[in-house]
Amino acid sequence: QPVRRKTPFKEPAAGGLPPLNLGASAFPHHRATLRLSEKFILLLILSAFITLCFGAFFFLPDSSKHKRFDLGLEDVLIPHVDTSKGGKNLGGFLIHGQGHDEHRHREEEERLRNKIRADHEKALEEAKEKLKKSRDEIQAEIQTEKNKVVQELKKKDSKPLPPVPLPNLIGINSGEPADPDIREKRNKIKEMMKHAWDNYRQYGWGHNELKPIARKGHSTNIFGNSQMGATIVDALDTLYIMGLHDEFREGQEWIDKNLDFSVNSEVSVFEVNIRFIGGLLAAYYLSGQEVFKIKAVQLAGKLLPAFNTPTGIPWAMVNLKSGVGRNWGWASAGSSILAEFGTLHMEFVHLSYLTGDPVYYNKVMHIRKLLQKMDRPNGLYPNYLNPRTGRWGQHHTSVGGLGDSFYEYLLKAWLMSDKMDTEARKMYDDAIEAIEKHLIRKSNGGLTFIGEWKNGHLERKMGHLTCFAGGMFALGADGSRDDKAGHYLQLGAEIAHTCHESYDRTTLKLGPEAFKFDGGVEAVAVRQNEKYYILRPEVIETYWYMWRFTHDPKYRQWGWEATQAIDKYCRVSGGFSGVKDVYSSSPTYDDVQQSFFLAETLKYLYLLFSSDDLLPLDNWVFNTEAHPLPLNQASTGVRNEALHI
């Protein structure tokens, strides 16, 4: 399904063995347990028998027909520096001939015979003891051994990280608005967050997401076949920012005890990066709790095998256990996707800063260097790139699904580096100029929209995902070329207006997934499969950025309209659900509470009704999943101090 990040892909998950179950349910049937116990005992007896046969060789009488056992060496190398005892010195080793020290050889043979005899007797005794034990006792021993292996693996993964100074963290609490009306609206949004979290806690705890009507856990193949608690990780920083500290501690405890990445599960590199690594890093910076940093680094190590391609462009999917990667079957003849491999930079630079390991930084910089060398049709970046050949796939360019966050991360790499990464800024400016020339148009009714370029033709359609671009243009206005800051701020305002119209022209006052600008149809979805709303944040994201840069009260008004619509039409007793048709007065639910609803939609609404001193944009940069990361001077501090590059 060709859309970006927050839509679960519908391709069937790849086959594979289920993850190892180390709990009691690993032994669900007595018959299976009996077979396992019998195999265990037979293995022990066979081992003892082989040991006995092997040892018998050494108990045979010595004769001229048998060579003396001397470890197979005619000459034995012994470290030595003294040449006075009949040997030749070769580089610090003394070479002793075959006739030297016969007595020492015999002692060695006798020692080996005694050791084998003792091992043989020990194995027989252990086998006898096993035969005396009940099935339950053997099962308990097997479980104990499994637990030991798991603990050893955890110890291996939990090696201490080098201490690094935290950036100057400003504005991580409060943001209480002075206006009582605004404060009341903010409290309502906080209540909605608590409703979403409490129901997930009750009905979907540990699952990736929640089915709020069925009241059970939910997952899609972007998270693999394991319960990785995506909603917990994604929601942590929102809970912290809202002051829901009891809920935050609940999530932290689950992560500390249950979040395990050594599972046989194939996941989306992109989604896991922006939701899990981004969420864990933000939680670490906000709270200072080391567990989040440790887990982020463990997970990042599991993603690195995805980069093992001929070009270094990562696969879309990777198995966390085997490291085997692949791409989506529908993606232009096995191509990787621009918005996926281009949306790793922020998190990976922070990983290198926190670990002192340049591998993460180097991976994303390699991607950038490769893209800089490639020809771009009309200055546009196509959405598909083959990781084997390094060639573009079909020439389809979009600022919505498949392309969007690549451009966002160019701008934010520059901002995160405290505006030192001028290379990223230049790539952003070049790309935006090409986008404005070829993709941005005005409709007959005067609405500015961003279309999609497909093989030389502009499709006059805009997706909900594309609506993030209004905020991006506003965020990038300061520092733009040729004193065009005012122009880009105005462009952001026009995109915000168009996206608000897409909401306002529906029955539910919630925006559709995509909307057209053909003939007399403007900002309205035409196809049935584009009329749904799945709790997406992009329009509200743009409202928030526009509010921060202009303080025009209409953005808070528009945000409140969306808040009321979500609460009225998406709220159910078990949480919040997407709806299938925003033009229907009696909509049906899709029964999914997306993790990004807690990570982004509610966070952006809360920030919209907070004062500007909560997470000020001079000190924080938000990843594409709305996880705030502090400035870290990626071009200077990370390269020179932490990485010695």
Side-chain angles (χ1 to χ4, degrees), residues 342-358:
T343 310
L344 304 167
H345 186 97
M346 291 179 66
E347 297 83 0
F348 274 46
V349 168
H350 272 278
L351 287 166
S352 279
Y353 174 74
L354 292 173
T355 62
D357 188 342

Side-chain angles (χ1 to χ4, degrees), residues 148-158 262 298:
K148 285 181 182 178
V149 172
V150 171
Q151 292 304 317
E152 288 301 317
L153 288 172
K154 285 185 177 180
K155 287 179 183 178
K156 183 180 177 182
D157 284 341
S158 300
S262 57
Q298 287 175 2

Side-chain angles (χ1 to χ4, degrees), residues 188 191-192 194-200 202-203 210-216 535 565-579 587-594 597:
K188 172 59 181 176
E191 182 276 329
M192 291 168 68
K194 190 155 172 42
H195 178 69
W197 175 266
D198 287 348
N199 279 283
Y200 169 78
Q202 183 171 355
Y203 302 116
L210 170 68
K211 294 180 77 68
I213 298 171
R215 299 191 177 191
K216 63 181 183 179
L535 306 171
I566 292 169
D567 198 51
K568 182 175 182 180
Y569 295 111
C570 299
R571 185 179 188 129
V572 295
S573 60
F576 289 87
S577 169
V579 292
T588 54
Y589 297 108
D590 66 9
D591 196 19
V592 179
Q593 180 175 283
Q594 307 276 353
F597 177 65

Side-chain angles (χ1 to χ4, degrees), residues 439-511:
L439 304 186
I440 298 180
R441 297 287 184 270
K442 271 197 188 297
S443 71
N444 294 334
L447 296 178
T448 301
F449 68 94
I450 308 174
E452 298 188 9
W453 191 263
K454 291 188 176 180
N455 296 315
H457 169 72
L458 181 68
E459 186 177 12
R460 298 170 66 86
K461 180 179 80 170
M462 187 169 173
H464 192 291
L465 290 163
T466 319
C467 286
F468 93 98
M472 179 179 71
F473 293 145
L475 184 62
D478 185 25
S480 57
R481 290 175 181 162
D482 305 324
D483 297 322
K484 294 178 72 174
H487 167 74
Y488 285 113
L489 192 61
Q490 176 61 29
L491 182 59
E494 292 176 12
I495 297 298
H497 173 66
T498 297
C499 293
H500 174 257
E501 286 298 306
S502 78
Y503 273 53
D504 202 45
R505 297 180 186 192
T506 71
T507 303
L508 305 186
K509 305 303 179 186
L510 293 169

Side-chain angles (χ1 to χ4, degrees), residues 293-416:
K293 177 173 70 172
I294 292 168
K295 293 288 185 180
V297 173
Q298 287 175 2
L299 177 54
K302 299 287 188 179
L303 298 185
L304 286 179
F307 293 82
N308 295 336
T309 67
T311 60
I313 297 293
W315 300 113
M317 309 286 285
V318 70
N319 186 295
L320 294 176
K321 186 172 185 178
S322 69
V324 174
R326 70 177 179 97
N327 276 340
W328 301 107
W330 49 262
S332 188
S335 291
S336 297
I337 297 168
L338 183 68
E340 296 193 342
F341 65 77
T343 310
L344 304 167
H345 186 97
M346 291 179 66
E347 297 83 0
F348 274 46
V349 168
H350 272 278
L351 287 166
S352 279
Y353 174 74
L354 292 173
T355 62
D357 188 342
V359 63
Y360 307 103
Y361 175 86
N362 290 339
K363 295 292 186 189
V364 291
M365 289 306 295
H366 174 79
I367 293 172
R368 181 191 290 183
K369 297 300 183 186
L370 187 148
L371 290 174
Q372 283 181 314
K373 294 176 183 177
M374 297 185 65
D375 292 329
R376 297 186 298 279
N378 294 318
L380 299 171
Y381 289 88
N383 290 338
Y384 299 107
L385 180 62
N386 192 301
R388 292 188 177 91
T389 65
R391 297 191 182 98
W392 297 119
Q394 65 190 73
H395 286 183
H396 172 205
T397 296
S398 170
V399 185
L402 307 177
D404 50 7
S405 47
F406 164 70
Y407 307 102
E408 176 188 355
Y409 268 39
L410 290 176
L411 172 63
K412 290 181 175 179
W414 174 70
L415 290 169
M416 197 176 73

Side-chain angles (χ1 to χ4, degrees), residues 61-72:
D62 197 5
S63 72
S64 60
K65 293 183 180 179
H66 298 284
K67 288 189 68 175
R68 188 183 66 255
F69 181 78
D70 59 1
L71 301 179

Side-chain angles (χ1 to χ4, degrees), residues 24-199:
S25 61
F27 303 94
H29 303 295
H30 294 299
R31 186 179 299 173
T33 303
L34 186 58
R35 287 198 300 270
L36 182 60
S37 303
E38 288 171 351
K39 289 178 182 177
F40 186 79
I41 295 167
L42 287 171
L43 183 61
L44 283 172
I45 295 171
L46 180 61
S47 174
F49 180 75
I50 292 171
T51 305
L52 178 63
C53 294
F54 186 71
F57 171 79
F58 300 99
F59 304 139
L60 293 173
D62 197 5
S63 72
S64 60
K65 293 183 180 179
H66 298 284
K67 288 189 68 175
R68 188 183 66 255
F69 181 78
D70 59 1
L71 301 179
L73 297 177
E74 295 298 323
D75 296 297
V76 181
L77 294 181
I78 301 175
H80 210 286
V81 293
D82 186 0
T83 59
S84 63
K85 298 185 179 179
K88 296 184 293 182
N89 188 316
L90 291 179
F93 287 92
L94 189 68
I95 301 181
H96 292 262
Q98 188 174 3
H100 183 81
D101 206 354
E102 292 287 339
H103 179 67
R104 184 179 60 80
H105 280 295
R106 292 193 184 94
E107 286 183 342
E108 182 68 14
E109 288 177 12
E110 187 62 26
R111 187 186 68 79
L112 287 170
R113 287 193 185 97
N114 291 337
K115 182 178 185 304
I116 291 170
R117 186 183 295 111
D119 289 344
H120 161 245
E121 291 174 355
K122 181 180 178 183
L124 286 176
E125 287 300 318
E126 288 179 352
K128 289 177 183 177
E129 291 299 318
K130 291 292 181 188
L131 289 170
K132 293 177 184 178
K133 292 183 179 180
S134 69
R135 181 179 64 243
D136 290 341
E137 288 175 319
I138 294 174
Q139 177 180 314
E141 286 188 5
I142 294 171
Q143 187 61 50
T144 300
E145 290 303 315
K146 285 182 177 180
N147 290 338
K148 285 181 182 178
V149 172
V150 171
Q151 292 304 317
E152 288 301 317
L153 288 172
K154 285 185 177 180
K155 287 179 183 178
K156 183 180 177 182
D157 284 341
S158 300
K159 59 183 179 181
L161 297 171
V164 293
L166 278 174
N168 187 23
L169 304 179
I170 295 173
I172 60 176
N173 297 113
S174 187
E176 187 80 8
D179 186 328
D181 178 59
I182 300 300
R183 191 159 58 242
E184 183 180 347
K185 289 174 178 173
R186 191 175 86 143
N187 287 338
K188 172 59 181 176
I189 295 159
K190 182 175 178 178
E191 182 276 329
M192 291 168 68
M193 177 68 181
K194 190 155 172 42
H195 178 69
W197 175 266
D198 287 348
N199 279 283

Side-chain angles (χ1 to χ4, degrees), residues 478-601:
D478 185 25
S480 57
R481 290 175 181 162
D482 305 324
D483 297 322
K484 294 178 72 174
H487 167 74
Y488 285 113
L489 192 61
Q490 176 61 29
L491 182 59
E494 292 176 12
I495 297 298
H497 173 66
T498 297
C499 293
H500 174 257
E501 286 298 306
S502 78
Y503 273 53
D504 202 45
R505 297 180 186 192
T506 71
T507 303
L508 305 186
K509 305 303 179 186
L510 293 169
E513 181 68 6
F515 41 94
K516 294 288 186 72
F517 296 89
D518 282 334
V521 176
E522 297 196 357
V524 174
V526 176
R527 299 168 59 183
Q528 187 61 41
N529 64 357
E530 295 174 342
K531 294 181 179 181
Y532 60 87
Y533 173 70
I534 57 171
L535 306 171
R536 286 202 188 276
E538 289 77 21
V539 174
I540 294 162
E541 176 182 354
T542 280
Y543 293 166
W544 174 62
Y545 278 112
M546 293 307 303
W547 164 256
R548 280 284 177 102
F549 289 113
T550 69
H551 287 142
D552 187 329
K554 72 183 178 188
Y555 296 115
R556 276 183 166 171
Q557 177 58 36
W558 292 351
W560 185 242
E561 290 172 5
T563 302
Q564 290 177 303
I566 292 169
D567 198 51
K568 182 175 182 180
Y569 295 111
C570 299
R571 185 179 188 129
V572 295
S573 60
F576 289 87
S577 169
V579 292
K580 294 182 178 180
D581 188 345
V582 293
Y583 300 97
S584 170
S585 56
S586 55
T588 54
Y589 297 108
D590 66 9
D591 196 19
V592 179
Q593 180 175 283
Q594 307 276 353
S595 79
F596 57 70
F597 177 65
L598 292 82
E600 301 185 77
T601 311

